[in-house]
Amino acid sequence: MAAITGPTLRRLPKLRQDAGQRKAIVSSMAYHAPTLILSLLMIYPILWMFASSFKVPTDIWKDVSSLIPKQPTLDNYIKGWAGFGGVRFDTFYINSFIYAGGATLFQVVSSAIAAFGFARIRFFGRNFWFTCMLLTLMLPVQVLIIPQYIMFKQLGWINTYLPLLVPRLCGSAFFIFMIMQFIRGLPKELDEAARIDGCGTIGIFFRIILPLIQPAMITAAIFTFYWTWEDFMGPLLYLSNPKTYTLSLALRGFADPGTGTDWGAIFAMASLSLVPVFAIFVFFQRYLVQGISTTGLTGG
Amino acid sequence: MNNSVELARSRSRRAAQPAARRRVALSRRELSNHLSGYLFISPWLIGFFVFTLIPILASFYLAFTRYDTMSAPVWSGTENFEKMIEDTRYWSSVRATLYYVMAAIPLRLIFALAVAMLLNSDRRGVGIYRAMFYAPSIVGGSVAVAVMWRQVFGTEGLVNFFLALVGAPRVVWLGDPATAIWTLIILAAWQFGSPMLIFLAGLRQIPAQLYEAAAIDGAGRVAKFFSITLPMLSPVVFFNLVMQTINGFIAFTQALIVTDNGRPLDTTLLYVLYIYQRAFQNLQMGYGAAMAWVLLGVIAFVTWLLFKSSSRWVFYESKEGE
């Protein structure tokens, strides 16, 4: 912040002509140096794990703080990829993609459909159901997991992806609300013009609204993907066969304090599990930042 | 009489059509609206009944039963709630959770606000800093980071390494009942990205004229912060405080992995972790459901308290803007 450097700058003698320029450089340095150090400190643990995954196992703890492996090696990745319990890591990776990909697709599409219904159609009981939806927003899911578990168990859905995926077909109150707010910002004249041109309600949704709400749907998709990719409790409750494990469960099994000692391999697989998360972050940062700043979405 | 006029007016407004044509044309159009309305919300509506309403009623019933999932639930009245009062592990989990929430959430919000103020600048590179400060938050809830965190605070880990550099003695972070919870608190405080972005958006909304006027009046940095920034930002502070507090109460993964099931001596046995242990490891579904309802009550109460207190410290501008 410029003004932090204010007092220091005022004390500088204004002797030379280029004092103004120097002042700017000093102020810029005084801002960037501490900010850069702080931000590096923030991501240091992540970089550390990433760097450690390329270190020879004996170096991980001997040379603990360094970010540059002395003898870079891919051994940890090869060993880690072999997985455990006879299941290789690619299975866990595919499982995570099935869960996160399926959940994201289902949840975003169904949320958009319901959001259109609430935002653009006037029907009997709309306000009542809308209030019900807002109430569920405030409900911590912890109240629901026990009866839901019992229900899915009686359906014989344990050790399948059904308990994790089927509820997503019903959308999420949070994203319905978010997309609704977005639809409300679109001019109603669009709907009316389309209706005059002979478009039905379903046509209005698919041809007019759906293309226009892409930004909101992308934001919803990113967050749903993150939350399901990193979800631990859902898979923990419903998946107990290692063949069905997602990355979260596999990493936990891998790093179990009782068995896990090969930290190189654990760090390698943990780093690998974060690659899709960071890839999305790099490509879609704009949507993320907008999503959080405007709707107050909270990650995690 | 008056009422019916009101009703007709509101109806015509609702139908957004000329009143004369209403009766004839509407009945069909309205009927089709009712049908397509329910068609569009049906995914949510079905989910609401099947995955929310029925489970919540079932959960309420289960809270008053003994149920091990093998045999049918047995009605036990308020037994579960009475057991809670005598359950020492239950109180450990309450203590751990309150300690965690009261330490982690203020820390997270203070970091979030401080960094947001640092990044509220037009300088080059601010976007990159913002991404770096936010990065821990997108991975923070993952098992990968939890597994890493265990090693960061391990006896041979990073934190002890840097402590040794400055000559401090090694700390058995995860084994000492006094320090273990702090590994979770620091992990939570490290992930201040979301509230930071929300603060940043709020800071951008504060008109620069206010600061200019204050500068003319001779206000310093501290005075500006307390008399302009903080009051103008108070609605955002309030929003973040409510959301983060609720989030804090339902933390789970960290306590299961970083501190290995609430160890040592249940000092990090967060409430939801204890629900999980009781309901899914000991198969005491009734007890778990009762605990969940107490949690719901506590969250509702704390949220209500925050809302109630907000009239004293949250400053809203005249409603014109919104």
Side-chain angles (χ1 to χ4, degrees):
Chain A
M1 206 162 277
I4 288 175
T5 65
T8 354
L9 284 175
R10 244 172 273 135
R11 266 184 260 122
L12 281 174
K14 285 191 177 179
L15 292 173
R16 295 188 203 150
Q17 280 184 322
D18 61 351
Q21 206 188 342
R22 263 181 62 180
K23 203 169 154 181
I25 293 172
V26 170
S27 134
S28 165
M29 286 285 285
Y31 176 78
H32 285 290
T35 314
L36 184 67
I37 290 170
L38 272 179
S39 56
L40 285 175
L41 203 65
M42 279 295 286
I43 58 168
Y44 176 68
I46 301 170
L47 295 179
W48 172 75
M49 174 171 79
F50 200 64
S52 297
S53 74
F54 293 103
K55 288 181 190 169
V56 185
T58 49
D59 278 357
I60 294 179
W61 306 118
K62 212 170 67 193
D63 195 16
V64 68
S65 67
S66 101
L67 291 183
I68 299 151
K70 275 195 193 119
Q71 308 156 265
T73 171
L74 284 174
D75 276 4
N76 296 323
Y77 283 85
I78 295 164
K79 270 189 280 172
W81 198 257
F84 63 92
V87 187
R88 278 192 323 184
F89 242 82
D90 46 346
T91 309
F92 305 137
Y93 232 90
I94 292 166
N95 289 343
S96 272
F97 267 111
I98 293 173
Y99 175 31
T104 304
L105 181 74
F106 293 167
Q107 182 148 299
V108 172
V109 171
S110 56
S111 296
I113 292 171
F116 175 75
F118 276 121
R120 277 298 207 254
I121 306 172
R122 304 186 173 276
F123 57 89
F124 177 74
R126 183 178 70 159
N127 288 341
F128 174 76
W129 295 121
F130 182 64
T131 311
C132 286
M133 195 187 74
L134 288 187
L135 283 176
T136 66
L137 262 181
M138 300 170 194
L139 194 71
V141 286
Q142 280 66 26
V143 186
L144 304 175
I145 49 172
I146 290 172
Q148 280 182 355
Y149 176 84
I150 294 166
M151 179 170 78
F152 293 132
K153 194 182 156 115
Q154 277 166 358
L155 288 169
W157 286 5
I158 304 298
N159 267 324
T160 71
Y161 282 85
L162 294 172
L164 301 173
L165 290 178
V166 171
R168 312 278 176 170
L169 283 168
C170 302
S172 115
F174 193 85
F175 292 119
I176 294 174
F177 187 62
M178 189 192 89
I179 298 171
M180 262 184 83
Q181 296 299 93
F182 198 88
I183 294 177
R184 280 178 176 164
L186 303 173
K188 271 228 153 127
E189 286 76 23
L190 288 173
D191 300 33
E192 279 151 27
R195 205 175 283 284
I196 290 166
D197 289 346
C199 211
T201 309
I202 292 172
I204 291 175
F205 174 68
F206 279 105
R207 293 192 197 158
I208 313 288
I209 302 294
L210 204 55
L212 290 174
I213 58 172
Q214 297 293 327
M217 286 175 70
I218 292 174
T219 305
I222 294 171
F223 279 99
T224 312
F225 186 85
Y226 275 179
W227 293 342
T228 45
W229 185 263
E230 292 176 2
D231 182 23
F232 177 62
M233 198 185 231
L236 179 69
L237 292 182
Y238 296 114
L239 308 172
S240 59
N241 177 351
K243 282 203 175 88
T244 62
Y245 275 12
T246 60
L247 284 169
S248 306
L249 285 183
L251 283 172
R252 192 240 177 167
F254 215 33
D256 193 53
T259 59
T261 42
D262 188 356
W263 288 105
I266 293 163
F267 286 157
M269 292 307 105
S271 304
L272 221 48
S273 80
L274 297 180
V275 168
V277 177
F278 281 116
I280 291 174
F281 183 53
V282 170
F283 289 114
F284 293 95
Q285 212 208 114
R286 190 166 56 94
Y287 290 98
L288 263 169
V289 172
Q290 267 174 11
I292 296 167
S293 326
T294 55
T295 63
L297 279 164
T298 46
Chain B
M1 200 37 196
N2 251 343
N3 270 347
S4 65
V5 172
E6 273 303 314
L7 199 70
R9 252 193 221 145
S10 73
R11 232 192 227 169
S12 71
R13 226 180 292 135
R14 247 193 285 149
Q17 278 202 0
R21 269 209 278 146
R22 209 186 62 225
R23 287 236 165 265
V24 206
L26 265 196
S27 51
R28 266 182 73 190
R29 170 80 182 276
E30 243 181 15
L31 184 70
S32 115
N33 266 351
H34 293 324
L35 285 178
S36 55
Y38 277 94
L39 179 73
F40 272 94
I41 71 158
S42 61
W44 171 80
L45 198 59
I46 294 168
F48 174 68
F49 278 101
V50 179
F51 301 120
T52 304
L53 193 63
I54 295 172
I56 209 166
L57 297 175
S59 167
F60 192 72
Y61 167 69
L62 284 175
F64 297 94
T65 64
R66 259 185 250 171
Y67 184 45
D68 61 0
T69 74
M70 312 295 172
S71 45
V74 180
W75 182 262
S76 64
T78 55
E79 187 195 62
N80 288 327
F81 297 92
E82 286 157 26
K83 261 201 301 192
M84 256 181 246
I85 297 170
E86 289 157 20
D87 182 353
T88 50
R89 292 197 75 202
Y90 177 82
W91 290 107
S92 299
S93 80
V94 170
R95 208 175 309 126
T97 310
L98 290 179
Y99 193 88
Y100 171 79
V101 169
M102 289 198 290
I105 304 314
L107 276 179
R108 181 185 268 186
L109 292 184
I110 288 167
F111 282 134
L113 181 57
V115 173
M117 289 179 66
L118 184 68
L119 296 185
N120 184 25
S121 147
D122 296 325
R123 287 172 195 274
R124 249 191 296 164
V126 164
I128 296 166
Y129 295 138
R130 191 184 56 193
M132 284 164 80
F133 281 110
Y134 184 66
S137 303
I138 57 165
V139 294
S142 68
V143 174
V145 163
V147 164
M148 170 194 86
W149 209 251
R150 239 187 113 71
Q151 298 315 308
V152 167
F153 281 94
T155 353
E156 307 276 305
L158 271 185
V159 175
N160 274 348
F161 173 82
F162 286 110
L163 282 181
L165 276 190
V166 295
R170 289 200 160 178
V171 180
V172 191
W173 292 96
L174 296 162
D176 186 338
T179 54
I181 189 100
W182 282 93
T183 65
L184 303 184
I185 292 167
I186 295 167
L187 176 59
W190 182 51
Q191 299 161 42
F192 57 73
S194 294
M196 174 193 80
L197 290 179
I198 300 169
F199 277 137
L200 205 49
L203 285 171
R204 297 251 153 96
Q205 305 276 317
I206 302 177
Q209 298 97 291
L210 289 180
Y211 291 108
E212 286 157 18
I216 291 168
D217 290 345
R221 312 224 82 237
V222 179
K224 278 184 194 166
F225 176 76
F226 282 105
S227 53
I228 299 175
T229 312
L230 217 47
M232 290 299 283
L233 214 54
S234 58
V236 185
V237 175
F238 175 66
F239 175 83
N240 276 333
L241 186 63
V242 171
M243 298 304 286
Q244 296 299 330
T245 305
I246 294 175
N247 262 346
F249 274 109
I250 58 178
F252 167 74
T253 310
Q254 302 88 316
L256 198 149
I257 293 172
V258 180
T259 52
D260 190 19
N261 263 304
R263 263 171 260 263
L265 300 174
D266 291 339
T267 48
T268 63
L269 184 71
L270 296 187
Y271 198 92
V272 176
L273 176 61
Y274 192 45
I275 295 184
Y276 167 75
Q277 290 186 355
R278 278 300 185 126
F280 295 99
Q281 291 179 333
N282 306 346
L283 290 179
Q284 295 173 320
M285 296 280 175
Y287 195 67
M291 278 187 68
W293 273 93
V294 173
L295 176 68
L296 180 67
V298 169
I299 290 180
F301 176 69
V302 171
T303 311
W304 176 80
L305 269 188
L306 288 175
F307 267 91
K308 195 98 175 99
S309 77
S310 70
S311 61
R312 291 170 186 274
W313 60 274
V314 178
F315 168 81
Y316 288 103
E317 278 183 285
S318 57
K319 280 275 176 193
E320 277 175 299
E322 248 318 302

